[in-house]
Amino acid sequence: MKSELIKLTYQVQLQAGEKLNLPASLVESLGAGDWIITIEKINTMPETIRNHDAFLNSYAPEDEGLYDDYPGG
C-alpha cells in the first residue's frame, strides 16, 4: 500500500510578544522532498457588517406619510 500526505494544517494562536515556534510533531512529520509552507493570518472579523443603509438612503422626503393610513399596520 502506498500512502501520501497531501496537506497538513495547523492553527496557531500567538499572544502579543510571543514568537512562532513550530510544533515538534509538525517538524517530525516532514521528511525528504519538496515542501511549501504557507503562513496566513486568520480573519476573525466579518468581512461585511449587515446594515440597513440601502433602505434608509432610498427613503425620500416625499414618501413621508405614505403608509400612515394603512389599515393592516
Side-chain angles (χ1 to χ4, degrees):
M1 174 172 67
K2 181 179 179 183
S3 64
E4 181 180 357
L5 178 63
I6 301 298
K7 185 175 182 180
L8 180 64
T9 303
Y10 279 87
Q11 181 172 330
V12 179
Q13 183 178 28
L14 296 176
Q15 302 299 321
E18 192 175 15
K19 293 187 178 186
L20 176 64
N21 184 11
L22 297 176
S25 58
L26 170 63
V27 175
E28 291 170 7
S29 68
L30 299 176
D34 298 325
W35 296 91
I36 295 175
I37 298 174
T38 303
I39 298 176
E40 177 181 346
K41 183 170 175 71
I42 297 173
N43 184 7
T44 57
M45 296 295 293
E47 291 184 21
T48 58
I49 297 175
R50 185 175 176 185
N51 60 41
H52 301 283
D53 289 347
F55 172 76
L56 296 176
N57 292 336
S58 69
Y59 192 80
E62 56 269 15
D63 293 336
E64 188 66 37
L66 186 62
Y67 302 106
D68 288 350
D69 295 332
Y70 184 69

